[in-house]
Amino acid sequence: MSKKKEILYHIVFWFLFVGLEQLLKSITIHKDLDTTWSILQNLGFILLQLLIFYSNYLIICPKTILNKRWRLLIVAQFGLIVLFPAIRFVYEEIVLFKITGYHNYDMSDLNPLYYIYDNSYYSIRILLFSLVGYFMKYMWNTNTQVTQLILEKKQAELQALKNQLSPHFLFNSLNGFYSDLYDTNPTVATDILKLSEMLRYVTYESENDMVLLKDEVLFLQNYIDLFKRRFDGKVAITFTSPYNTGTWKIPSLLLIHFLENAFKHGITDDYDNPVIIKIKTQAGRLTFTTTNKYRTTQSYDEHGIGYKNISQRLNILYPENHSLNVEQGTQYFNVTLNIPLS
């Protein structure tokens, strides 16, 4: 849902909500509504409802519902139910009393619990409206994202079919080369086997949304090995990954973009300042970092199409539950990605 459309819906809602409420008051309340106290009380009450509605809609719901923190959501709702009468009491019984000299309640025997109970109808009502509004927005955005992902997947599949050379032919050919060279040139045979594994991984595993972390680590390791082979081993790189990755899963082909960028733009032959690639798992989360020295004349692709695609993918998969920090200093380029493990 676009921001303009969302704002329009909110304007229509508040126009109808406030309009109907004022109409109901004019019919049922048998006292003047044009006195100073009534005007200020009515205005303050509307603003209080706006405050509670948008505190829930803009702050609490996004921080709890998106991350499925249901207990915190329930606690926050009770907090707002108490906050509503607290603010109303201060405004009506203290501020307005000093201005107009009138109270809304009989202060001689006013009980705090009764005051909260008496205001619960208004507080719960406005909270329900905000929850329904947020869930409608959430479902709208989710359906839009799913539709967009399905469309993009179909387009990618169509493009792959147009450009595809039979993977089975390539695998069989590479395996044949591997068999022929295994005895005479085992080093080249090993490289061919790694290339075959990478091709198989890209062709088949990329069709899955999630892959085993150990398979993604192996893919990166094979990529690094072939990169070193291309430059006769004269590559300064440190690659660190967890020894035991268990059955953790991450999105397929998520990390290769940052590795490619480090090799493409970074200085890879400076052994005093090697390219550093680290993968760390802790408390059910993955932290992936790359650090590399770069030439100041180089221009990074981190703000190009590749970076935008990665950011969009992360926002869809982990809304408000991930971090991607890109820091470009005068000599070094650092990327830190943190996502939950599945």
Side-chain angles (χ1 to χ4, degrees), residues 20-183:
L20 291 173
E21 190 172 63
Q22 297 307 307
L23 178 62
L24 184 64
K25 281 186 177 181
S26 65
I27 296 173
T28 58
I29 298 178
H30 303 289
K31 63 180 180 180
D32 293 335
L33 297 177
D34 58 351
T35 63
T36 302
W37 185 91
S38 296
I39 293 173
L40 293 176
Q41 187 274 340
N42 201 24
L43 178 62
F45 192 72
I46 293 172
L47 292 176
L48 175 57
Q49 292 181 100
L50 284 167
L51 174 64
I52 297 299
F53 182 98
Y54 286 107
S55 294
N56 201 38
Y57 183 87
L58 297 176
I59 300 175
I60 293 174
C61 288
K63 292 184 179 297
T64 55
I65 294 175
L66 291 179
N67 298 325
K68 297 181 180 180
R69 302 171 69 181
W70 305 117
R71 292 182 180 177
L72 181 59
L73 176 65
I74 293 173
V75 171
Q77 301 309 297
F78 279 106
L80 290 177
I81 290 174
V82 175
L83 181 63
F84 183 95
I87 296 176
R88 187 182 183 187
F89 180 86
V90 171
Y91 177 72
E92 292 184 359
E93 310 303 341
I94 298 177
V95 177
L96 282 190
F97 177 74
K98 290 183 177 180
I99 296 174
T100 64
Y102 292 100
H103 284 293
N104 190 21
Y105 285 78
D106 184 1
M107 299 300 294
S108 59
D109 59 350
L110 182 62
N111 185 286
L113 292 179
Y114 171 77
Y115 190 80
I116 294 174
Y117 167 78
D118 196 46
N119 280 272
S120 62
Y121 164 76
Y122 300 105
S123 57
I124 294 175
R125 179 186 65 174
I126 203 64
L127 287 174
L128 287 176
F129 277 129
S130 67
L131 287 171
V132 170
Y134 183 81
F135 273 111
M136 290 177 65
K137 172 189 173 182
Y138 176 77
M139 292 175 63
W140 180 297
N141 290 340
T142 301
N143 289 335
T144 301
Q145 290 173 352
V146 170
T147 302
Q148 182 181 353
L149 284 176
I150 292 174
L151 179 61
E152 290 177 354
K153 184 177 181 181
K154 292 297 181 184
Q155 291 174 341
E157 289 173 352
L158 179 60
Q159 189 64 36
L161 287 174
K162 290 179 179 179
N163 301 326
Q164 188 178 39
L165 176 63
S166 174
H168 297 290
F169 171 77
L170 293 176
F171 295 148
N172 292 336
S173 298
L174 290 172
N175 288 334
F177 296 151
Y178 171 76
S179 299
D180 293 340
L181 294 171
Y182 183 78
D183 293 325

Side-chain angles (χ1 to χ4, degrees), residues 184-203:
T184 58
N185 197 333
T187 302
V188 175
T190 301
D191 291 338
I192 290 176
L193 181 61
K194 290 178 180 179
L195 182 60
S196 177
E197 291 175 350
M198 291 178 66
L199 180 60
R200 186 184 300 276
Y201 184 80
V202 171
T203 303

